[in-house]
Amino acid sequence: MAYRRTGKVSARLADNRRRILNSAREIVAEGGFSAAQMSEVARRAGVATGTLYRYFPSKEDLCRQVFREVSTREMNILANIASEDAPAMERLESVLRTFAGRAIQGRRLAYALLAEPVDVGLSEDRTRFRRTHAQVFAGILDDAIEAGDIPPINTQIAAACIAGAIPTALIGPLAPESHEIEDQSGARVLDDIVAFCMAAVHAAPGTAAQKNEKTEERRIAS
């Protein structure tokens, strides 16, 4: 007779798996994926290391699942804002503030998700995440162009620039140290990032020249 799990057994297994993932996520938020050693995850989750391997055969399997859960949560937050019934530029600013603000609040986790050297499998997951991320910005920019709020631009390129600029400003090699951000106030840094990105799409190349040409045409006509 085939063995069938009882409801209690299934619930216990699910609870163990959730505690393992929660513990791993906490460790990653504190020290990155490199800190998520299987023995430490098991200790914090309150399970034996051997038990942990029954749920996740390797550290890479565990880290990839943590990445998928956390990145999906972050992406859903941005996607929900992007789909709101509001003017495109309001949605863009809100998405920018949310993305950058959450990165400021959890810089170590943001570094782990976006820039920390990782295994090939996790790197592939990250690439898919970054592409989806850029699509959120591109969709809003498409709406802004259609509404006449910004000049026509290649929204895929612009979205890639925005999606890359924020992590570079906060967690890249040129980013200020944590104490510098704290000294300047996270709110000030956030305002500067949002202002830069908003100005970037408003001041598309050629816009100033076109305005100057029109001004000159009006001057000559008068």
Side-chain angles (χ1 to χ4, degrees):
M1 180 177 179
Y3 170 74
R4 296 180 62 184
R5 291 176 179 172
T6 64
K8 286 187 177 180
V9 171
S10 295
R12 178 174 59 79
L13 294 174
D15 179 66
N16 283 345
R17 190 174 190 277
R18 176 43 49 197
R19 282 190 289 114
I20 289 169
L21 286 170
N22 288 346
S23 297
R25 186 183 66 243
E26 291 172 0
I27 293 172
V28 170
E30 295 166 4
F33 288 108
S34 61
Q37 300 303 315
M38 298 295 268
S39 58
E40 176 57 21
V41 173
R43 185 195 66 78
R44 191 174 296 200
V47 301
T49 303
T51 300
L52 172 56
Y53 279 102
R54 295 176 191 168
Y55 292 87
F56 300 97
S58 68
K59 176 184 173 181
E60 182 180 4
D61 290 324
L62 174 59
C63 288
R64 290 185 73 173
Q65 184 59 36
V66 170
F67 178 87
R68 289 167 182 166
E69 287 196 359
V70 176
S71 61
T72 297
R73 180 193 66 196
E74 297 298 316
M75 186 55 60
N76 285 341
I77 291 173
L78 300 184
N80 287 337
I81 296 172
S83 63
E84 290 177 353
D85 184 17
M89 298 310 288
E90 288 184 17
R91 286 182 281 135
L92 178 61
E93 180 174 353
S94 183
V95 167
L96 290 170
R97 285 191 176 280
T98 301
F99 178 30
R102 291 179 69 81
I104 289 174
Q105 293 172 4
R107 292 184 77 202
R108 193 63 189 82
L109 179 59
Y111 174 76
L113 293 176
L114 299 171
E116 180 182 353
V118 292
D119 294 331
V120 174
L122 185 49
S123 179
E124 292 173 351
D125 286 341
R126 175 185 286 163
T127 298
R128 286 190 289 271
F129 167 64
R130 295 294 295 272
R131 286 174 178 165
T132 304
H133 197 180
Q135 288 302 315
V136 171
F137 289 111
I140 299 175
L141 293 175
D142 285 334
D143 291 344
I145 292 172
E146 184 177 354
D149 295 330
I150 62 174
I153 55 176
N154 184 323
T155 56
Q156 296 296 321
I157 295 298
C161 290
I162 293 173
I166 294 177
T168 299
L170 293 175
I171 59 176
L174 301 180
E177 299 295 332
S178 295
H179 71 275
E180 294 177 302
I181 286 185
E182 292 170 0
D183 290 344
Q184 296 176 44
S185 167
R188 172 63 183 278
V189 172
L190 179 58
D191 287 342
D192 288 343
I193 289 173
V194 172
F196 172 82
C197 292
M198 296 292 286
V201 296
H202 273 297
T207 301
Q210 292 169 4
K211 288 182 178 179
N212 290 337
E213 289 177 2
K214 290 180 179 179
T215 299
E216 182 64 15
E217 290 173 357
R218 287 194 294 268
R219 187 188 67 78
I220 294 175
S222 62

